[in-house]
Amino acid sequence: YSFDAEPDTKVVAPLGTDQWISLTALNRLRRTDPTKVEPMWHSQYGVLQSWFADSSEFSLLQHVGIKGFFVSSVLLDGGNGMALRSLLVLSVLSLLILFMPLIEYTVQRILVSAPFWNRWTFWGRIARAGFPLKLLIGQYVWKAVALAFRKLENEVREFVVDLECEILEDSVPITVGVGAEESDNEIRGEPDDEEGDSDIYDDDYDY
């Protein structure tokens, strides 16, 4: 991750610095490795606490609405990822139940097929094997299933993180520079001066 933002993307930076980073890159970094966020600015600013904590008055997440709340607070943060994992497990089980008749039919056709029984000399030795060997095979199968599920979970989480980035990009208002939606006086509830420039939400950070 670097401070080189893509064109037409929203960027953020601590007040008093010119080290801007795109909002999308910052959010993806905090989701993949949050320990690397604050070192981007030499650990001089409490970026995570100020910009992404629910308790912060200046949190970016206050702009995301109900959809963003569900994606960020429920799916990604709920139970440290347990909410997303549980939902994924329920989805997989639902699909298995839905396609169970087809699965049963396919398995039955395989069990009575000639090619299957022609290979009796191969799988028959496994069927007659002792319990330790069957237990070992079961462990290998379980590890393979767990690995496949972990890969699926990572892919789904990447998709959800991308969705969260899109929501932040669309919902967080521009507060500094061309296209700013609010001036400093408007944020404070004061009348705007003729020469007033768009400013920041708080005294510590720009975004």
Side-chain angles (χ1 to χ4, degrees), residues 64-83:
V64 297
I66 297 178
K67 180 181 179 181
F69 171 80
F70 179 76
V71 170
S72 299
S73 301
V74 178
L75 291 182
L76 294 175
D77 293 334
N80 292 325
M82 284 301 299

Side-chain angles (χ1 to χ4, degrees), residues 76-92:
L76 294 175
D77 293 334
N80 292 325
M82 284 301 299
L84 179 62
R85 186 175 297 113
S86 299
L87 186 61
L88 185 58
V89 170
L90 289 176
S91 300
V92 172

Side-chain angles (χ1 to χ4, degrees), residues 31 46 66 99 150 152 159 206:
R31 288 302 184 187
I66 297 178
F99 290 100
R150 192 175 301 113
L152 176 62
F159 173 80
D206 284 348

Side-chain angles (χ1 to χ4, degrees), residues 32-199:
T32 55
D33 192 353
T35 61
K36 294 182 180 179
V37 172
E38 294 181 2
M40 295 282 289
W41 293 277
H42 308 290
S43 301
Q44 296 179 352
Y45 307 95
V47 174
L48 292 176
Q49 184 64 29
S50 179
W51 290 350
F52 296 103
D54 293 335
S55 58
S56 174
E57 180 183 357
F58 312 107
S59 173
L60 299 173
L61 300 178
Q62 65 182 304
H63 305 288
V64 297
I66 297 178
K67 180 181 179 181
F69 171 80
F70 179 76
V71 170
S72 299
S73 301
V74 178
L75 291 182
L76 294 175
D77 293 334
N80 292 325
M82 284 301 299
L84 179 62
R85 186 175 297 113
S86 299
L87 186 61
L88 185 58
V89 170
L90 289 176
S91 300
V92 172
L93 291 178
S94 298
L95 288 175
L96 287 176
I97 294 174
L98 180 63
F99 290 100
M100 186 58 68
L102 179 61
I103 295 174
E104 289 181 351
Y105 174 79
T106 302
V107 171
Q108 290 175 359
R109 296 300 298 175
I110 292 175
L111 291 178
V112 299
S113 65
F116 177 76
W117 287 101
N118 287 337
R119 294 186 60 83
W120 160 255
T121 55
F122 171 75
W123 59 263
R125 289 176 293 179
I126 300 176
R128 294 192 302 266
F131 178 75
L133 178 59
K134 293 179 180 178
L135 179 61
L136 181 62
I137 294 174
Q139 290 177 341
Y140 278 116
V141 172
W142 171 255
K143 289 180 179 178
V145 172
L147 179 61
F149 181 82
R150 192 175 301 113
K151 290 181 179 179
L152 176 62
E153 181 184 3
N154 290 337
E155 291 180 1
V156 172
R157 192 176 188 280
E158 284 292 325
F159 173 80
V160 176
V161 169
D162 289 340
L163 180 59
E164 182 187 41
C165 292
E166 292 178 7
I167 294 173
L168 284 170
E169 188 75 23
D170 293 339
S171 60
V172 172
I174 300 174
T175 59
V176 176
V178 178
E181 297 178 4
E182 296 176 319
S183 70
D184 188 42
N185 289 335
E186 288 174 339
I187 292 172
R188 291 172 171 79
E190 300 174 0
D192 208 8
D193 295 332
E194 290 184 1
E195 297 181 356
D197 295 328
S198 296
D199 209 331

Side-chain angles (χ1 to χ4, degrees), residues 1-6 9-26 40-41 51 173-178 198-200 204-207:
Y1 289 88
S2 67
F3 292 108
D4 298 329
E6 297 180 0
T9 59
K10 293 179 180 178
V11 293
V12 292
L15 180 64
T17 74
D18 57 358
Q19 296 175 322
W20 300 85
I21 185 174
S22 71
L23 181 57
T24 296
L26 177 63
M40 295 282 289
W41 293 277
W51 290 350
I174 300 174
T175 59
V176 176
V178 178
S198 296
D199 209 331
I200 57 178
D204 295 322
Y205 302 100
D206 284 348
Y207 63 90

